[in-house]
Amino acid sequence: MSEPLRWQRTAGTLTLSGKLDRDTLRLLWEQRETVMAEVATIDVSALERVDTSGLALLVHLREIARAQGHTPLFSGVTDKLHSLITLYNLQQIIVSAEKSA
């Protein structure tokens, strides 16, 4: 069984940790609208694993933020996550804070 996904929202940053995969994302999915209120940055540096379901959720979280008037940047994108983002041609959607600075 996968390690549970954990998240914390502090001062406009949503920090995700653990594993973001099809086995762990359900609770975040159920709370996504509330969790994304006023989020400007999504910190993914503490994620140990992200699968395609997790990547889809990241895209969806960004769209929720945009609907709320924000376009969040992603911080701490690992090489593995960057490879997955590139594989699915999502570089224009999941924008790294480090690259936009």
Side-chain angles (χ1 to χ4, degrees):
M1 176 140 186
S2 294
E3 181 176 329
L5 173 66
R6 294 172 306 282
W7 63 89
Q8 178 178 358
R9 191 178 62 196
T10 309
T13 298
L14 174 66
T15 302
L16 303 174
S17 61
K19 295 181 182 175
L20 180 58
D21 60 25
R22 69 179 184 91
D23 296 327
T24 64
L25 60 75
R26 185 173 147 211
L27 191 56
L28 179 56
W29 173 259
E30 292 169 352
Q31 298 179 29
R32 66 194 180 275
E33 297 286 338
T34 303
V35 168
M36 289 307 296
E38 303 298 321
V39 169
T41 303
I42 301 173
D43 183 353
V44 295
S45 62
L47 286 174
E48 299 167 12
R49 180 178 189 278
V50 179
D51 70 0
T52 55
S53 298
L55 182 62
L57 180 57
L58 292 176
V59 170
H60 190 70
L61 292 177
R62 178 188 178 268
E63 292 308 307
I64 290 170
R66 286 187 55 154
Q68 296 174 351
H70 306 282
T71 302
L73 295 175
F74 290 80
S75 67
V77 176
T78 63
D79 289 341
K80 285 183 181 181
L81 179 54
H82 181 70
S83 294
L84 191 60
I85 291 166
T86 302
L87 179 65
Y88 285 93
N89 198 26
L90 297 172
Q91 305 90 318
Q92 301 302 315
I93 295 172
I94 298 184
V95 178
S96 173
E98 292 82 7
K99 292 187 180 179
S100 68

